[in-house]
Amino acid sequence: MPIIEHKQHIKAPIEICFDLARNVEVHTQTSFKTKEKAVGGVTTGLLQEGDSVTWEAVHFGIKQRLTAKVIFMEKLHSFVDVMVKGAFRSFIHIHQFIEEEGGTSMLDHFQYKSRFGPIEILIDKLFLEKYMRKFIAERALGLKKAAEK
């Protein structure tokens, strides 16, 4: 089961970083390359614990839908979302925020299991893990740019 960890320093207060990371419209803006949009559940505003959102996006040239649910939230410090329906067999995404002098460190911990049966390890190593690392890093950079405006 691949685990992706990414750390992004942002020169902004923790409150701004936390709210931007759970803002549905900002998520759409920071994942524009995949044409991601919210099409079900909470489709605007800030996600709260217990909320679900269905995302529609184009990955690998295929339009896909994925529903994620926020299962835990500690205001300003972390929230956790899990896939409840979608292309993965499962995923858990832990978002953490650490207040530091001069800004905030945002940490993403993403663990997933793909649906490729006996060849999933090979597919993960050949391209899926790299693709997901890049997606998470690009989204984090987008959040950084939004927060530092």
Side-chain angles (χ1 to χ4, degrees):
M1 185 179 296
I3 297 171
I4 297 168
E5 294 186 329
H6 181 79
K7 182 177 181 179
Q8 181 71 59
H9 182 76
I10 303 171
K11 294 178 185 173
I14 195 169
E15 299 88 358
I16 290 173
C17 299
F18 184 78
D19 284 349
L20 286 173
R22 61 193 183 103
N23 184 298
V24 174
E25 292 92 352
V26 171
H27 183 97
T28 301
Q29 294 165 7
T30 59
S31 53
F32 68 92
K33 286 184 179 179
T34 59
K35 302 176 185 165
E36 199 148 337
K37 61 183 174 182
V39 296
V42 176
T43 58
T44 60
L46 302 178
L47 294 168
Q48 304 292 337
E49 186 172 337
D51 286 347
S52 292
V53 59
T54 299
W55 300 104
E56 185 176 270
V58 178
H59 295 281
F60 304 110
I62 302 166
K63 188 184 285 189
Q64 302 177 35
R65 285 193 176 196
L66 181 143
T67 302
K69 181 174 183 170
V70 179
I71 61 166
F72 173 82
M73 185 173 293
E74 181 185 351
K75 295 277 184 180
L76 303 184
H77 300 289
S78 67
F79 67 95
V80 178
D81 59 286
V82 297
M83 186 200 78
V84 294
K85 186 176 180 183
F88 293 97
R89 185 177 306 157
S90 65
F91 83 55
I92 182 167
H93 189 171
I94 302 167
H95 309 256
Q96 293 179 293
F97 305 84
I98 301 167
E99 194 167 22
E100 297 176 340
E101 191 172 319
T104 303
S105 280
M106 181 176 74
L107 298 107
D108 286 286
H109 177 93
F110 183 79
Q111 186 171 349
Y112 71 91
K113 209 166 190 181
S114 58
R115 290 191 187 265
F116 298 112
I119 62 166
E120 70 186 41
I121 293 172
L122 181 62
I123 290 172
D124 287 339
K125 290 298 174 200
L126 288 177
F127 68 90
L128 187 57
E129 186 175 349
K130 181 179 177 183
Y131 179 85
M132 292 308 301
R133 265 184 210 287
K134 184 177 177 188
F135 181 80
I136 289 168
E138 286 177 350
R139 184 163 185 283
L141 188 58
L143 288 170
K144 174 183 174 69
K145 289 178 182 176
E148 292 179 351
K149 281 186 178 178

